[in-house]
Amino acid sequence: MKIKIAPSILSSDFSKFGETAEMLERCGADLVHCDVMDGNFVPPITFGAQAVKAIRPHTALPLDCHLMTLHPETHIADFAAAGADIISVHVEACGAETVKRLLEIRALGVKAAAVINPETDTEALFPAAEVADMLLVMSVHPGWGGQKFIPESLKKLQKLRDFCIRIGRDDLDIEVDGGVTLQNVRAITEAGANVIVAGNTVFGSADIAETIARLRA
Ligand code: DX5
Ligand code: ZN
């Protein structure tokens, strides 16, 4: 499967999102990962749809909006209008309505993804696998960049990829988010992830283009 690299602007300079998006496109990124935090689902507050709208004209790259919010149903339309290409919602926030949320996102012409936190079982994503454009496995506790990759996430990725193959969705994108480094990325892709979020690894490096290329290789 094609490996796609999604640098998270959470680890970038918050006063320069536009320039950063332009730079990421020049440096060969595949997506721009936008970490939206509401101060409720996770303690910090980052930014919302208005920031996504401001970034939109600066890049042709897909904007991958990861909503770490309660009540995602109240935000979905705003992010779609702001120019999001992918909207990811947490199973922990949507509960039994996860599939319904995904269908609502798709009805707005936006790709829909479901996310699970480290303490949530992989099986919680199975119903979403039938309708989602992408599935996302958090490999750190959401809220902060720069944490250590939780090794159990590899088993979850493997289980999820096996399930997707079993239901005939072999080429469903599986994204991994948190603690990805140049050292662990191979094990992560071998386990079944093909969309790789990286915050600190990308923005903490001296040569961003080279780091993106090495993550992909
Ligand atoms: C965590 C965010 C991640 C985070 C990844 O809540 O969802 O996207 O920014 O950052 P690193 O790669 O530094 O773990
Ligand atoms: Zn994220």
Side-chain angles (χ1 to χ4, degrees), residues 8 33-35 66 68 136 138 177 197:
S8 167
H33 186 81
C34 303
D35 281 311
H66 175 193
M68 284 163 275
L136 167 50
M138 289 304 299
D177 186 3
V197 177

Side-chain angles (χ1 to χ4, degrees), residues 130-150:
E130 310 272 353
V131 296
D133 296 289
M134 185 169 81
L135 300 172
L136 167 50
V137 173
M138 289 304 299
S139 43
V140 298
H141 296 284
W144 299 271
Q147 302 178 71
K148 253 181 103 69
F149 183 85
I150 298 172

Side-chain angles (χ1 to χ4, degrees), residues 4-12 24 29 31-33 35 64 139 145-146 175-182 184-185 195-204 208 211-212 215-216:
K4 298 177 221 173
I5 307 301
S8 167
I9 58 171
L10 180 64
S11 304
S12 74
L24 290 173
L31 305 156
V32 177
H33 186 81
D35 281 311
D64 173 26
S139 43
E175 186 174 48
V176 65
D177 186 3
V180 177
T181 64
L182 290 168
N184 63 18
V185 68
V195 183
I196 311 296
V197 177
N200 262 38
T201 294
V202 167
F203 288 99
I208 288 182
T211 301
I212 289 172
L215 281 168
R216 194 185 286 107

